[in-house]
Amino acid sequence: MREGYADFHSHLVPGVDDGSRSLEDALHSLDRMVEAGVTRVITTPHLRASHAASRRFAEYLDLVDHQWTRLQGAVQARHPDLDFRRGFEIKVDHQGLDLSDPRMRLGGTRFVLVEWPMFQVPSGSPRILERFIQSGLVPIVAHPERYHGVDPELDVVREWKRAGALLQGNYGSLAGQNGPVARTRILHMLAEGLLDYLCSDFHGRPEYTFYLVPGAGALRELGGHKQLDLLGRVNTARLFDGEAPLPVPALSVEIATDALSTGFSRRCRGWLDE
């Protein structure tokens, strides 16, 4: 039996961030994920590292723990075969967060999902990532295609990789969710073989599109069946097992360039209606 999709970036814990507002929202969203073929989920509420020293930070962790327990029990009853875990998407706006707490990491593994503050690449970003490596953790940069300050040649992204970080792109960027710049960047990253994972970054509300299906369709349209299998199934599943990702072959440069045409953009919009 073919392994289903695994997804380690979503916002489903109800009432703690800009994701699911209620338990009903979260369960409805998980229904959609399971229907799309997702068999493993690590949900990742937002967390700002700069709040680590405040009293409200402890209150926030208590709230997440409480809401997670409620959600986990409901999911076990509704989808008993779903591998459902927790983590955080950590906004790295400070260096003082204690990451020895397993709650900070993805499903208790050594992998940590991080994002840059204000969607802006900070000065010295490779050195920031190296500090994670030196502490025995593996940082995964969420949606690298979306940040201001990523140069057209992707030199800073290569520096992140050389520092030891991994990269997680969003399905939605392939389908145009985040605009033409993000779509151009993620296609260039695929053409360079830089991405390690694809995830949904689903914000878990009924009115929001779940972009895994149109994003996967976009990559298949480009002939990226092997890349999709590695990025969305194999490597994401390996993370759940605490294993490093396998190398992902580069998508054809010619195909990636052709994909930036207006015709491809129209097809992306069509997939959203399917």
Side-chain angles (χ1 to χ4, degrees), residues 154-248:
L154 305 179
D155 289 338
V156 71
V157 175
R158 292 189 184 87
E159 289 180 16
W160 298 342
K161 297 280 285 192
R162 285 194 291 269
L166 302 171
L167 304 180
Q168 174 258 303
N170 281 6
Y171 288 106
S173 295
L174 284 166
Q177 176 192 17
N178 301 305
V181 173
R183 187 175 66 242
T184 298
R185 283 190 185 140
I186 198 168
L187 289 171
H188 286 175
M189 290 176 191
L190 287 164
E192 297 284 344
L194 292 171
L195 289 182
D196 300 287
Y197 310 99
L198 281 171
C199 288
S200 67
D201 194 6
F202 188 30
H203 276 60
R205 299 188 183 189
E207 66 269 27
Y208 291 168
T209 300
F210 178 51
Y211 276 94
L212 186 152
V213 174
L219 190 49
R220 291 192 193 96
E221 175 82 6
L222 300 173
H225 295 79
K226 183 173 184 179
Q227 287 83 0
L228 175 61
D229 195 54
L230 284 165
L231 292 166
R233 300 177 189 269
V234 176
N235 283 351
T236 45
R238 288 176 65 87
L239 180 143
F240 278 71
D241 297 332
E243 299 175 350
L246 300 179
V248 179

Side-chain angles (χ1 to χ4, degrees), residues 250-263:
L251 192 68
S252 163
V253 175
E254 291 78 11
I255 290 176
T257 301
D258 290 344
L260 300 176
S261 68
T262 302

Side-chain angles (χ1 to χ4, degrees), residues 9-10 12 15 19 28 33 38 50 55 71-72 102 110 152 156 180 183 218 226 241 249 253 271:
H9 186 175
S10 63
L12 305 176
H28 179 268
M33 296 178 80
V38 177
S50 59
R55 180 178 60 84
L71 177 59
Q72 185 183 38
R110 61 196 175 102
V156 71
R183 187 175 66 242
K226 183 173 184 179
D241 297 332
V253 175
W271 287 316

Side-chain angles (χ1 to χ4, degrees), residues 3-230:
E3 183 69 32
Y5 291 100
D7 192 286
F8 59 78
H9 186 175
S10 63
H11 300 271
L12 305 176
V13 178
V16 302
D17 62 5
D18 59 345
S20 295
R21 296 161 296 195
S22 65
L23 184 61
E24 291 72 24
D25 273 4
L27 291 173
H28 179 268
S29 299
L30 281 161
D31 289 345
R32 295 166 69 186
M33 296 178 80
V34 170
E35 288 169 5
V38 177
T39 59
R40 292 180 165 189
V41 174
I42 298 174
T43 193
T44 50
H46 289 292
L47 186 150
R48 290 180 61 182
S50 59
H51 287 173
S54 72
R55 180 178 60 84
R56 296 190 67 182
F57 182 74
E59 293 176 357
Y60 177 66
L61 291 183
D62 288 344
L63 173 63
V64 173
D65 285 347
H66 174 72
Q67 295 294 77
W68 161 254
T69 299
R70 291 179 62 230
L71 177 59
Q72 185 183 38
V75 170
Q76 286 177 343
R78 190 160 177 154
H79 296 292
D81 295 329
L82 181 68
D83 185 346
F84 188 55
R85 310 184 196 180
R86 64 181 288 189
F88 280 103
E89 181 185 16
I90 300 171
K91 190 183 299 292
V92 187
D93 58 353
H94 189 267
Q95 300 300 307
L97 183 61
D98 180 9
L99 295 172
S100 65
D101 186 335
R103 291 176 299 178
M104 301 297 108
R105 308 193 297 273
L106 293 173
T109 68
R110 61 196 175 102
F111 298 96
V112 180
L113 184 66
V114 301
E115 67 171 342
W116 303 125
M118 305 298 292
F119 279 89
Q120 180 72 47
V121 177
S123 175
S125 57
R127 291 190 295 277
I128 295 171
L129 295 169
E130 285 172 355
R131 294 189 189 106
F132 285 93
I133 301 295
Q134 291 164 1
S135 66
L137 302 173
V138 181
I140 300 174
V141 179
H143 40 62
E145 71 276 9
R146 297 184 63 192
Y147 296 110
H148 302 292
V150 171
D151 57 288
E153 293 76 23
L154 305 179
D155 289 338
V156 71
V157 175
R158 292 189 184 87
E159 289 180 16
W160 298 342
K161 297 280 285 192
R162 285 194 291 269
L166 302 171
L167 304 180
Q168 174 258 303
N170 281 6
Y171 288 106
S173 295
L174 284 166
Q177 176 192 17
N178 301 305
V181 173
R183 187 175 66 242
T184 298
R185 283 190 185 140
I186 198 168
L187 289 171
H188 286 175
M189 290 176 191
L190 287 164
E192 297 284 344
L194 292 171
L195 289 182
D196 300 287
Y197 310 99
L198 281 171
C199 288
S200 67
D201 194 6
F202 188 30
H203 276 60
R205 299 188 183 189
E207 66 269 27
Y208 291 168
T209 300
F210 178 51
Y211 276 94
L212 186 152
V213 174
L219 190 49
R220 291 192 193 96
E221 175 82 6
L222 300 173
H225 295 79
K226 183 173 184 179
Q227 287 83 0
L228 175 61
D229 195 54
L230 284 165

